[in-house]
Amino acid sequence: MALLGCGVVGTEVVRLLREQADDLAARIGAPLHLGGVAVRRLDKPRAGVDPELLTTDAVGLVTRDDIDIVIEVIGGIEPARSLMLAAMKTGKAVISANKALLAEDGETLFGAAREYGADLYYEASVAGAIPLLRPLRESLVGDHVHKVLGIVNGTTNYILDQMDTHGAGFTEALEEAQSLGYAEADPTADVEGFDAAAKAAILAQLAFHTTVTAADVHREGITEVSAADMASAKAMGCVVKLLAICERVRTDEPTGNSLNGRGVSVRVYPAMIPRSHPLASVREAYNAVFVEAESAGRLMFYGAGAGGAPTASAVLGDLVAVARNKMNGTRGPAETTYAALPVLPMGETITRYHVQLDVADRSGVLAQVAEEFSRHDVSIQAVRQEGHGEDAQLVIVTHRAEDAALAATVAGLSGLDIVRNVASVMRVEGDDQK
């Protein structure tokens, strides 16, 4: 086998291959042999890696006749895509942790795997060590998955947890996450939701047998989440989490882009969820994913979602699977997109809103605000006033409605002379939706 990349994850893969060699051989029925490790620079020190295995000729490595499995942990789009395709064209099995590539161009990779009869496994691309993709791909393949709701980014969960439990501001919590190694020096991919959106695309494609790319995912990050949002969530008995939500939508009549009343909604954004919800108790940098299926009911997967050792654990799980397939002359299950459901625009998504308004403290204000909600056919579930005079605020929680109607309502509220400022707008998710 060959290893592409020898950073944090790749180094851990090499370590586990060395330390668990005998156990892995017993589980597979034959020993594993690492034939080479492709890197960009040969002079960089890599503890525990035999320098004789290192090469900068990645193409030559993946096309060698004595290589039958390729592990890709270099990340990014290119050269990872070209190298994986080159490997599969010669029937080699490929194991990848590359969420960005799978979310952007997974269809090309899945097509190559089908065409050339090659295995393509990628458990490590979503939620680190948590066994999540294989249950969706295999264990639940005989069921109908209705919804996948999860916390799939440890950096943002750590930040929001610090804001909730310790009252930290966003900047303070981010700096703490960076000092602990949970966040990169440039945290954009995490805090703006790009990482979670890529993972949501992969989850949705597996759950709903439909082609979904990162570009199809509605994405919002957590940079605008404020201390006031956290306080409002607490007052409602909620907590704020960055959620990846993949949902099969069924309606009585076709609406918008949904086909025969069916489609999928895939989105990532910060939302309030009840503290009674299983995801509310997921703390610090941990990940958890909540799956709802027709027959299996509700399932929850929880654990370390990132890091060298957890991700390497998922890689080795895939390695054992594809090695066993090689030994038996078989291959694993191929991805299917037979359902071909349309991905609905965010405006057609049904959700709830929490809206906080700075308003003039005079009679008739609530009536005018309620009239704006009614004008867009958005029903109010609860309303309360906080403060008086210059500090007067209205906090409104809606019933479920189309996101486009909610957005239009907020835009209309901004234009009322009685509304000084729309202080906060946040969606509400969870079991108590009505």
Side-chain angles (χ1 to χ4, degrees):
M1 65 181 159
L3 176 64
L4 305 180
C6 199
V8 173
V9 176
T11 301
E12 284 295 310
V13 169
V14 174
R15 180 183 67 82
L16 292 175
L17 286 172
R18 181 180 64 252
E19 294 180 358
Q20 301 181 19
D22 292 341
D23 286 340
L24 292 171
R27 294 165 191 169
I28 293 167
L32 292 168
H33 174 68
L34 182 59
V37 181
V39 296
R40 292 179 182 175
R41 292 171 43 201
L42 294 175
D43 58 346
K44 183 178 179 181
R46 296 173 175 86
V49 181
D50 184 352
E52 294 185 1
L53 291 175
L54 302 179
T55 178
T56 57
D57 183 8
V59 175
L61 179 62
V62 301
T63 55
R64 271 171 39 183
D65 292 338
D66 63 331
I67 298 295
D68 56 3
I69 300 173
V70 173
I71 301 171
E72 182 274 316
V73 290
I74 56 179
I77 307 302
E78 288 293 352
R81 174 171 47 198
S82 296
L83 292 170
M84 291 166 66
L85 291 174
M88 286 189 283
K89 284 179 180 178
T90 57
K92 293 176 174 60
V94 172
I95 297 163
S96 177
N98 196 330
K99 57 183 172 287
L101 175 55
L102 287 159
E104 179 173 306
D105 197 19
E107 192 58 34
T108 295
L109 299 176
F110 302 144
R114 287 191 295 267
E115 181 178 356
Y116 300 111
D119 268 337
L120 175 60
Y121 278 59
Y122 47 96
E123 184 68 62
S125 66
V126 178
I130 303 173
L132 175 61
L133 300 191
R134 199 168 301 167
L136 287 173
R137 194 183 194 189
E138 300 177 25
S139 304
L140 294 173
V141 73
D143 208 337
H144 290 286
V145 176
H146 297 311
K147 190 172 186 177
V148 180
L149 172 71
I151 297 165
V152 296
N153 183 273
T155 299
T156 52
N157 199 55
Y158 181 85
I159 292 170
L160 293 173
D161 183 51
Q162 293 299 300
M163 293 175 71
D164 175 61
T165 58
H166 301 296
F170 172 80
T171 301
E172 179 187 353
L174 172 58
E175 290 174 351
E176 178 73 11
Q178 289 172 321
S179 69
L180 294 172
Y182 294 145
E184 302 288 343
D186 179 1
T188 303
D190 293 321
V191 299
E192 295 294 353
F194 290 101
D195 176 85
K199 294 170 181 175
I202 295 169
L203 290 170
Q205 179 151 294
L206 281 176
F208 307 131
H209 307 283
T210 289
T211 299
V212 180
T213 69
D216 296 319
V217 181
H218 175 85
R219 174 193 55 79
E220 297 174 26
I222 66 167
T223 55
E224 300 301 317
V225 177
S226 66
D229 292 326
M230 298 308 240
S232 292
K234 282 187 176 181
M236 287 179 58
C238 291
V239 62
V240 178
K241 298 290 186 181
L242 181 71
L243 299 178
I245 306 170
C246 314
E247 190 172 21
R248 188 191 297 264
V249 178
R250 287 191 177 96
T251 58
D252 294 333
E253 298 293 336
T255 58
N257 290 347
S258 60
L259 180 64
N260 296 325
R262 298 181 300 129
V264 297
S265 170
V266 190
R267 66 246 194 213
V268 168
Y269 47 61
M272 297 179 182
I273 58 173
R275 290 187 182 269
S276 58
H277 193 282
L279 292 178
S281 61
V282 179
R283 298 280 313 280
E284 298 189 335
Y286 281 87
N287 285 190
V289 177
F290 199 69
V291 177
E292 297 180 18
E294 186 170 313
S295 299
R298 295 180 173 183
L299 309 169
M300 185 164 166
F301 302 84
Y302 170 86
T311 305
S313 171
V315 169
L316 259 67
D318 282 350
L319 177 59
V320 170
V322 300
R324 285 172 172 170
N325 291 345
K326 288 284 184 183
M327 292 288 293
N328 296 326
T330 61
R331 60 182 296 250
E335 271 57 42
T336 59
T337 56
Y338 72 90
L341 299 173
V343 180
L344 306 183
M346 187 60 198
E348 291 185 31
T349 297
I350 306 298
T351 186
R352 294 197 297 152
Y353 266 24
H354 171 280
V355 183
Q356 192 164 326
L357 306 173
D358 295 335
V359 296
D361 189 9
R362 63 173 186 256
S363 61
V365 167
L366 180 56
Q368 290 186 59
V369 168
E371 183 180 353
E372 189 64 31
F373 277 88
S374 177
R375 192 164 71 88
H376 296 283
D377 199 26
V378 176
S379 173
I380 294 175
Q381 182 188 49
V383 60
R384 71 177 188 272
Q385 180 174 339
E386 297 179 348
H388 299 281
E390 293 298 316
D391 296 324
Q393 288 191 331
L394 282 180
V395 178
I396 298 121
V397 180
T398 73
H399 286 289
R400 286 164 56 85
E402 282 198 346
D403 197 82
L406 291 162
T409 302
V410 172
L413 292 169
S414 300
L416 296 179
D417 60 2
I418 58 162
V419 176
R420 298 193 301 267
N421 180 43
V422 179
S424 174
V425 178
M426 187 170 289
R427 295 176 184 88
V428 182
E429 301 284 347
D431 294 337
D432 61 342
Q433 290 189 4
K434 297 177 181 177

